[in-house]
Structure formats: structure tokens, C-alpha cells
């Protein structure tokens, strides 16, 4: 089992930056993929970015490349989502997810473990 806890969300203004954290505990594997998804009110769950734990390979959605990046701290079992130049359309609940796979999936159904989510609100 893996437990995931997100933190770092909050209310910011357009153009500001935020760094979200996802702390993993319990049984983790180097083959795991950890990802960030987000869900705005009335919208489906959207893939944001993912990192493969074994080699650190990352992949981000085209819509956020160059502005939102994922990284990891192996020693702390923590994944980060650095978000710069935030826009009102980034407003959503951001979820951390983990999948015991070497493949980075951009759909949410393959992911076995989920955090509780952290709210990000960007005002114009």
C-alpha cells in the first residue's frame, strides 16, 4: 500500500507561482509512476505531469509544458509540481497519483493510489 498526501495549494493571483508537494509513505517501488492530475469544477480529471521513479523520466501535458514542471526528491519520497505564471484556468483541485507501472499513463483509471487533493485557486 502507498499513502499519498498533497500540500502546497492555496489562493494566488494570476502570474504567481506555487509549488505543490506530494509526500509518499508506506510501500513504494522504484518502478512506480507518480503523476499529477487536476479537476476543475464541472470538468473531468485532467492529466498534468508524471515522473517515472526508477529513472526520473518526466512527461507533461502539452498545455502546461514550459510553465508547469514535475520533479522528485528520492530521499524524501516526495514529488513536486512547480507551477509558474499561473492563470485562472489553472484553478482546480490537484491530485497526486501513483501507478505500479513503468508506463506513464495520461488517463486516470490505471493509477492505483490517490491523495486527498489540494485546492489551487488563481484569481485574475
Amino acid at each position: 500500500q502507498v499513502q499519498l498526501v498533497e500540500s502546497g495549494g492555496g489562493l494566488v493571483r494570476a502570474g504567481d507561482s506555487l509549488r505543490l508537494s506530494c509526500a509518499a509513505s508506506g510501500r513504494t517501488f522504484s518502478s512506480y509512476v507518480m503523476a499529477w492530475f487536476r479537476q476543475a469544477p464541472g470538468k473531468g480529471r485532467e492529466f498534468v505531469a508524471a515522473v517515472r521513479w526508477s529513472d526520473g523520466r518526466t512527461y507533461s501535458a502539452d498545455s502546461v509544458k514550459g510553465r508547469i514542471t514535475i520533479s522528485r526528491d528520492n530521499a524524501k519520497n516526495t514529488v513536486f509540481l512547480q507551477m509558474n505564471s499561473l492563470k485562472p484556468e489553472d484553478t482546480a483541485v490537484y491530485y497526486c497519483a501513483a501507478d505500479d507501472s513503468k508506463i506513464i499513463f495520461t488517463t486516470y483509471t490505471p493509477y492505483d493510489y490517490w491523495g486527498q487533493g489540494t485546492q489551487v485557486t488563481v484569481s485574475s
Side-chain angles (χ1 to χ4, degrees):
Q1 278 280 20
V2 176
Q3 294 80 47
L4 306 173
V5 179
E6 303 97 332
S7 63
L11 174 63
V12 297
R13 304 186 67 162
D16 285 352
S17 297
L18 273 179
R19 192 187 196 195
L20 307 183
S21 298
C22 174
S25 61
R27 189 181 183 189
T28 59
F29 301 94
S30 61
S31 61
Y32 265 43
V33 170
M34 297 188 67
W36 287 96
F37 289 80
R38 65 186 182 184
Q39 187 165 16
K43 302 292 183 65
R45 201 170 303 177
E46 176 189 16
F47 173 81
V48 179
V51 58
R52 187 161 60 195
W53 204 256
S54 60
D55 59 3
R57 182 180 179 182
T58 62
Y59 179 78
S60 300
D62 289 340
S63 60
V64 303
K65 285 182 178 177
R67 191 170 62 89
I68 298 178
T69 57
I70 190 170
S71 62
R72 61 176 167 86
D73 186 330
N74 288 342
K76 297 181 179 180
N77 291 322
T78 300
V79 175
F80 304 98
L81 190 71
Q82 179 66 48
M83 303 189 292
N84 300 323
S85 301
L86 284 165
K87 306 174 181 179
E89 50 262 46
D90 294 318
T91 296
V93 177
Y94 284 72
Y95 296 94
C96 180
D99 178 29
D100 189 13
S101 173
K102 63 180 180 181
I103 301 173
I104 294 177
F105 293 99
T106 59
T107 56
Y108 67 87
T109 50
Y111 291 85
D112 298 314
Y113 308 101
W114 292 86
Q116 83 288 349
T118 185
Q119 176 71 47
V120 173
T121 302
V122 184
S123 62
S124 59

